[in-house]
Amino acid sequence: MDIKTHPLSNDKRLPFVQPESVTVTASCLLQTTLSYALAGTAIFFVLYFFLARNEDCFGTFIAAFSSGAIGVFFCSFWFRRYHWGKIAQTAIVAAYIARVLVGVDSYLSTDPHYFQGNGNYLSNNWEFYWTYENATKAADNLLRHGEWRPSQTYEIGDTKNANIHSWMGYFLAAGKSHNALDLAPFNSFHHVVAGIIIVGLAITLGYPLGASFLAGVATAWIPWAFPASLMWRDSVGICWIVAAIALVVIGRNFGLVGRITLAFPAALLASSVREPYLLVVLVSTIYLYVNDTKKNLSVSNNVKLAIFLLIIVTGIVLIFPSLVEYVFGRHQTLQNGFWARFATIPLLIVRGIAGPFPWINPSGSFEMDYFPDYIFHVCQLAVLLVLMRNWRSILLNSDVLILNSIMLWFIGVLAVGVHTAYLAVAMPFILPVTFKANDHLWTKFIISLFLFIGGNALYLLTGLQGSGLLIKTTGY
């Protein structure tokens, strides 16, 4: 790669060096990214540990909020060595603050006396309360018995995200409280850290600085789960899956043994979010190994390589049914037959693009609770419009980020419940190439918005509202 075209050549502090040195600097950048992320997370926990002692609900919340802001600032501190880095860092910190404030405001509309109460979480959504309950269970087990192992906290099958619930519990234990809104900064922190890691991933893989920083900022501001008070496990999950792929990419620097070694913690992080993501780590590791060892592999052959990898995965599915049961069983893809699910892919794609639809409920009112999801799907369609316009060049220059976005998105649509949370995890990986295309994304957003408004109007006028036609065919 020519030094003038490498993204790191835009670093004003980087001296004029040979291309090999630039490559080494780029490969080390991702390690630096994860090091700052780990250190920033430690700062978050430690500050919360010292500031949240013997405080009421408001006091522990302020402790968590301020500790998280300092942690995010430190995680993104390495941005400052690059042109536009300080602006990107400010945008990332602003996303953290906005998610927390919107989350608190949203929650107080349900529980206006929270800061005068006992800190317990109130919600009509059983899954949100179930997450809070599991997090406090892990916190109690750690504080009372010194037991941190998820296997000793939960019964088998008791929780589908034992590692994430335990991680949330460790944070509550650090502040010695059950105060639910302390988890709003925790959720927001992880979401924006995913954006920080995406910047490091994109730069390392050769994307321009501008596209890399925009991808990271956009990840931090993804509308999905914007109110951080929602007890989504997926706010932590989106961070863990991005970190998992970062580990896979870092493995390229340490030979075959290093690749295999780092694939294990990457697989643990990914499968802790959802078991099918284990395949994403497996395929990504093989993809990068084959791509790196065959030095003469042309960009056009990346398409053939991707097809080859899909054939390998299909073979694994056919030969190892027990592995398939582990990977897809809890994901409920096997509920009506694995291959039967594939037969409905066209409808599943439509549902994945449309999201919660229509926006007007049977009573004729706008579903405000789903507003962040609506905007996410408008953004997702805008990105798809950019990709469709530039599909040929993107396909011919595919890389591990594009491969991951495709795999994650299709794993999401294959689930019986095609939830926005399943699809959102694919978004960070496709954003670098989207911004690299420089194809008027804002214009595509306006077009997407009008398409959704028109689609809603048409759906209502045809009398299909409330019919549940698509959901009855594709699952809940």
Side-chain angles (χ1 to χ4, degrees):
M1 180 178 290
D2 192 283
I3 187 169
K4 294 182 180 179
T5 61
H6 196 284
L8 284 174
S9 64
N10 293 327
D11 184 357
K12 292 183 177 180
R13 301 185 186 182
L14 187 71
F16 188 86
V17 291
Q18 296 300 316
E20 292 82 3
S21 299
V22 175
T23 303
V24 170
T25 306
S27 66
C28 293
L29 173 63
L30 193 51
Q31 298 173 53
T32 300
T33 302
L34 287 189
S35 296
Y36 271 86
L38 287 172
T41 303
I43 289 171
F44 183 21
F45 272 69
V46 170
L47 286 177
Y48 179 63
F49 172 82
F50 283 109
L51 297 177
R53 295 303 174 120
N54 301 318
E55 295 287 347
D56 58 12
C57 290
F58 185 74
T60 61
F61 167 74
I62 293 299
F65 178 60
S66 56
S67 300
I70 294 171
V72 170
F73 183 83
F74 188 86
C75 288
S76 57
F77 194 76
W78 63 269
F79 283 13
R80 302 170 71 84
R81 73 182 66 172
Y82 299 108
H83 187 54
W84 301 113
K86 292 181 181 179
I87 294 176
Q89 184 186 36
T90 301
I92 291 279
V93 173
Y96 165 80
I97 294 172
R99 287 181 174 276
V100 174
L101 295 182
V102 169
V104 171
D105 181 70
S106 174
Y107 181 78
L108 291 180
S109 65
T110 301
D111 183 10
H113 303 294
Y114 167 81
F115 287 118
Q116 292 79 43
N118 57 13
N120 288 339
Y121 190 72
L122 297 181
S123 177
N124 292 326
N125 186 312
W126 73 268
E127 192 164 3
F128 289 168
Y129 185 79
W130 175 73
T131 296
Y132 168 75
E133 193 174 52
N134 276 293
T136 55
K137 184 177 182 180
D140 288 341
N141 210 25
L142 180 60
L143 290 172
R144 296 174 183 175
H145 308 292
E147 181 57 68
W148 59 271
R149 293 171 295 177
S151 61
Q152 300 301 309
T153 300
Y154 310 106
E155 298 290 336
I156 297 176
D158 190 29
T159 172
K160 57 186 176 181
N161 295 101
N163 292 337
I164 293 180
H165 285 150
S166 295
W167 182 239
M168 298 173 79
Y170 301 158
F171 180 74
L172 289 177
K176 289 192 174 180
S177 81
H178 285 183
N179 298 339
L181 283 188
D182 291 5
L183 289 172
F186 181 84
N187 290 336
S188 182
F189 175 88
H190 284 83
H191 197 117
V192 302
V193 168
I196 295 169
I197 299 174
I198 280 292
V199 176
L201 262 171
I203 295 176
T204 298
L205 293 173
Y207 286 89
L209 276 178
S212 301
F213 277 124
L214 284 172
V217 170
T219 297
W221 284 90
I222 286 176
W224 163 78
F226 201 88
S229 57
L230 296 177
M231 290 297 163
W232 278 118
R233 301 169 300 283
D234 303 86
S235 291
V236 176
I238 200 170
C239 180
W240 282 16
I241 188 65
V242 171
I245 301 307
L247 287 173
V248 171
V249 174
I250 288 174
R252 303 167 76 187
N253 303 326
F254 301 102
L256 180 59
V257 174
R259 291 175 190 268
I260 295 173
T261 301
L262 288 177
F264 280 100
L268 175 62
L269 285 172
S271 60
S272 293
V273 183
R274 289 189 180 88
E275 286 87 350
Y277 298 161
L278 178 67
L279 286 179
V280 176
V281 171
L282 173 64
V283 173
S284 297
T285 302
I286 297 173
Y287 173 88
L288 287 174
Y289 178 73
V290 175
N291 201 21
D292 292 342
T293 53
K294 293 185 176 295
K295 301 297 182 182
N296 60 343
L297 190 66
S298 66
V299 291
S300 61
N301 282 336
N302 275 322
V303 178
K304 298 177 183 178
L305 177 57
I307 295 173
F308 171 69
L309 291 171
L310 289 175
I311 293 173
I312 289 178
V313 173
T314 303
I316 293 172
V317 166
L318 293 173
I319 298 171
F320 301 103
S322 59
L323 177 62
V324 175
E325 178 62 36
Y326 168 76
V327 171
F328 290 104
R330 193 186 289 274
H331 202 51
Q332 296 184 318
T333 306
L334 298 176
Q335 193 177 66
N336 298 314
F338 185 83
W339 299 110
R341 194 66 178 159
F342 275 85
T344 60
I345 279 183
L347 293 177
L348 291 169
I349 291 175
V350 171
R351 185 173 169 186
I353 294 173
F357 190 91
W359 295 357
I360 305 297
N361 63 30
S363 66
S365 61
F366 183 74
E367 294 275 17
M368 281 301 299
D369 289 346
Y370 291 101
F371 183 74
D373 286 358
Y374 297 154
I375 301 302
F376 170 81
H377 283 276
V378 173
C379 293
Q380 179 183 252
L381 180 55
V383 168
L384 288 175
L385 292 174
V386 172
L387 299 180
M388 286 188 291
R389 181 179 170 85
N390 300 274
W391 71 271
R392 192 181 301 275
S393 62
I394 291 172
L395 198 61
L396 292 177
N397 293 279
S398 59
D399 63 11
V400 69
L401 294 187
I402 297 170
L403 178 65
N404 272 287
S405 65
I406 294 172
M407 288 191 293
L408 289 166
W409 199 82
F410 273 98
I411 287 173
V413 299
L414 284 174
V416 173
V418 187
H419 305 313
T420 300
Y422 295 172
L423 306 171
V425 71
M427 179 70 83
F429 297 99
I430 203 63
L431 288 174
V433 73
T434 303
F435 285 109
K436 181 182 177 181
N438 194 26
D439 195 15
H440 306 290
L441 183 59
W442 181 250
T443 302
K444 301 298 189 297
F445 177 84
I446 299 299
I447 294 172
S448 174
L449 180 61
F450 278 102
L451 286 174
F452 267 98
I453 293 173
N456 273 271
L458 182 63
Y459 199 80
L460 295 175
L461 289 173
T462 54
L464 292 173
Q465 181 187 22
S467 65
L469 182 63
L470 192 58
I471 289 183
K472 289 176 181 177
T473 308
T474 59
Y476 72 91

